[in-house]
């Protein structure tokens, strides 16, 4: 009996380690060591639709810069992340505003994505405990529960991951009370160099099913050299010059 219990305990730990390793590979598949490109965001609300186009640069998990290109009235608005700190730059009043942690769950530019989504402040591998809920011949089904020390938005995340590429295919997000809040579907998978990447991310809010936000990646490069001066408050004011 002791031998069976030991084998069960060993098997359980191996599954837990595998799930954490799967999530690490998923984050690596989406991030790379660095990346840069352009995206188009389409926000569909009940009574209106709007489009934004923006550039982004990302270096590791600690540095991100996003700059709006269109529409013209919002051109130059920028969001900068350095380590755990995030700033918004508003060119119309030439002011840089530091975001408090309480703003991370708030909407970014009226979309269904949050400030946290935009700069990917939280890390699935570092902030959540992963469990392999089930698997089939094509997908891993991972359940993520926040670590006790993590300051994160979600109470639980369920992710379906492609077994060949480790790319996410669908993620479902729950709040701390266990209520389903939103789903993100990843599609339009294409090759970028020697890696695969989803070029269309579609977010569907649970409470307003007639609404959605779609992010289309127009172009992206991975593992490129990006100068550190881009990720500075001084650079925010030089973007328009």
């Amino acid at each position: 009996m002791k031998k069976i219990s030991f084998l069960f305990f060993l098997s359980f730990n191996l599954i837990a380690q595998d799930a954490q390793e799967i999530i690490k590979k998923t984050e690596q598949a989406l991030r790379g060591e660095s990346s840069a490109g352009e995206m188009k965001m389409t926000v569909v609300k009940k009574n209106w639709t709007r489009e934004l186009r923006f550039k982004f640069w990302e270096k590791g998990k600690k540095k991100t810069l996003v700059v709006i290109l269109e529409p013209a009235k919002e051109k130059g608005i920028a969001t900068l992340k350095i380590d755990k700190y995030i700033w918004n730059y508003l060119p119309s009043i030439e002011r840089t505003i530091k975001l408090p942690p309480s703003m991370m769950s708030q909407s970014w530019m009226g979309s269904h994505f949050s400030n946290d989504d935009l700069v990917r402040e939280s890390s699935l591998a570092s902030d959540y405990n992963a469990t392999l809920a089930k698997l089939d011949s094509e997908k891993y089904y991972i359940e993520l529960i926040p670590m006790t020390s993590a300051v994160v938005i979600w109470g639980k995340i369920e992710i379906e991951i492609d077994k060949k590429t480790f790319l996410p295919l669908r993620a479902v997000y729950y709040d701390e009370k266990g209520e389903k809040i939103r789903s993100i579907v990843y599609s339009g998978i294409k090759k970028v160099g020697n890696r695969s990447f989803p070029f269309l991310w579609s977010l569907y809010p649970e409470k307003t099913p007639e609404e959605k936000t779609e992010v289309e990646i127009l172009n992206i490069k991975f593992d490129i050299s990006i100068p550190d001066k881009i990720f500075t408050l001084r650079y925010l004011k030089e973007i328009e010059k």
Side-chain angles (χ1 to χ4, degrees), residues 149-162:
S149 58
V151 181
V152 293
I153 298 172
W154 304 108
K156 184 175 77 171
I157 305 172
E158 296 171 342
I159 303 184
E160 298 173 18
I161 297 171
D162 182 89

Side-chain angles (χ1 to χ4, degrees), residues 5-218:
S5 298
F6 173 76
L7 290 174
F8 174 79
F9 178 75
L10 180 62
S11 174
F12 178 83
N13 274 335
L14 286 174
I15 290 173
Q17 289 172 16
D18 287 348
Q20 212 70 34
E21 191 62 30
I22 290 166
I23 286 299
K24 285 181 182 178
K25 289 181 178 179
T26 296
E27 289 202 305
Q28 289 170 357
L30 289 178
R31 290 177 186 272
E33 295 300 319
S34 64
S35 62
E38 288 187 26
M39 298 183 180
K40 182 178 78 173
M41 175 180 280
T42 304
V43 183
V44 179
K45 293 288 181 78
K46 186 175 181 179
N47 298 316
W48 54 266
T49 299
R50 72 185 302 229
E51 286 188 1
L52 296 158
R53 192 166 65 86
F54 50 92
K55 281 186 174 180
F56 67 92
W57 296 262
E58 189 173 59
K59 199 169 186 177
K61 295 181 180 179
K62 294 187 176 181
K63 295 179 179 179
T64 302
L65 173 62
V66 178
V67 181
I68 293 178
L69 304 174
E70 296 177 355
K73 67 177 183 180
E74 287 161 338
K75 183 178 180 181
I77 293 177
T79 301
L80 171 68
K81 172 193 170 187
I82 306 173
D83 201 1
K84 292 286 185 181
Y85 305 101
I86 295 173
W87 295 265
N88 275 341
Y89 175 66
L90 306 175
S92 60
I93 56 175
E94 297 185 347
R95 284 194 61 188
T96 301
I97 301 169
K98 187 176 181 180
L99 289 188
S102 58
M103 291 288 290
M104 293 310 296
S105 62
Q106 299 300 307
S107 164
W108 184 77
M109 300 301 294
S111 74
H112 299 93
F113 284 94
S114 66
N115 289 308
D116 186 82
D117 292 321
L118 186 73
V119 295
R120 294 194 274 186
E121 210 281 320
S122 57
S123 164
L124 298 182
S126 301
D127 294 330
Y128 292 85
N129 288 310
T131 303
L132 184 62
K134 66 173 184 175
L135 74 165
D136 58 29
S137 60
E138 297 182 349
K139 301 176 190 175
Y140 298 111
Y141 298 81
I142 303 289
E143 182 179 276
L144 298 168
I145 302 296
M147 296 179 182
T148 53
S149 58
V151 181
V152 293
I153 298 172
W154 304 108
K156 184 175 77 171
I157 305 172
E158 296 171 342
I159 303 184
E160 298 173 18
I161 297 171
D162 182 89
K163 291 179 75 173
K164 291 181 179 177
T165 63
F166 288 96
L167 291 174
L169 301 174
R170 184 171 181 266
V172 182
Y173 295 76
Y174 300 82
D175 66 12
E176 293 179 345
K177 297 177 182 178
E179 184 179 1
K180 185 178 174 181
I181 301 300
R182 69 179 197 182
S183 302
I184 298 179
V185 176
Y186 301 85
S187 60
I189 296 173
K190 302 176 187 176
K191 279 284 187 180
V192 183
N194 60 358
R195 72 166 68 212
S196 298
F197 189 79
F199 276 68
L200 184 62
W201 302 15
S202 304
L203 189 158
Y204 302 95
E206 192 67 20
K207 292 183 178 178
T208 52
E210 73 276 18
E211 298 184 0
K212 66 177 179 179
T213 295
E214 289 189 340
V215 173
E216 180 184 359
I217 288 78
L218 302 176

